[in-house]
């Protein structure tokens, strides 16, 4: 996790944004006068939103967690995707 100040972020904006995009790591920007912010790449944000959506339903969350558990126990089966 990288942390910087608002002043440093403003002065080196392109460099910080390139690091966030290329490394897929959030950047925490601290502010002396207000709430701190977190900068994420768009793809990381969309991935996080999708995860929240999938886990929002308790039944779906349980099914996904069971699938992960089965995979870790070696119970998963490889399948081919059907293309139409």
């Amino acid at each position: 996790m990288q942390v910087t100040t608002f002043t440093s972020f403003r002065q080196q904006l392109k460099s910080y944004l390139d690091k966030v995009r290329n490394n897929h790591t959030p950047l925490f920007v601290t502010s002396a006068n207000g709430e701190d912010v977190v900068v994420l790449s768009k793809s990381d944000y969309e991935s996080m939103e999708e995860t929240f959506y999938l886990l929002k339903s308790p039944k779906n969350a349980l099914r996904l967690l069971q699938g992960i558990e089965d995979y870790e126990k070696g119970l998963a089966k490889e399948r081919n995707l059907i293309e139409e």
Side-chain angles (χ1 to χ4, degrees):
M1 158 180 62
Q2 188 172 11
V3 180
T4 189
T5 63
F6 184 82
T7 301
S8 177
F9 180 66
R10 186 177 62 240
Q11 292 171 346
Q12 301 173 52
L13 181 63
K14 183 184 180 324
S15 174
Y16 280 120
L17 293 181
D18 287 344
K19 285 179 188 175
V20 167
R21 247 184 265 139
N22 296 333
N23 299 333
H24 294 278
T25 56
L27 171 68
F28 291 80
V29 183
T30 61
S31 173
N33 300 328
E35 186 175 4
D36 298 346
V37 297
V38 177
V39 180
L40 296 171
S41 70
K42 182 180 177 189
S43 63
D44 290 339
Y45 174 78
E46 289 172 343
S47 176
M48 189 176 66
E49 286 290 303
E50 180 69 14
T51 300
F52 290 156
Y53 174 79
L54 292 172
L55 295 177
K56 184 169 53 174
S57 161
K59 283 185 180 182
N60 198 48
L62 184 60
R63 186 178 67 80
L64 290 169
L65 293 173
Q66 183 64 52
I68 292 169
E69 192 176 302
D70 289 348
Y71 173 79
E72 289 173 346
K73 291 178 180 177
L75 301 174
K77 295 179 186 175
E78 185 175 337
R79 298 182 185 212
N80 293 324
L81 294 176
I82 299 172
E83 292 188 28
E84 294 182 28

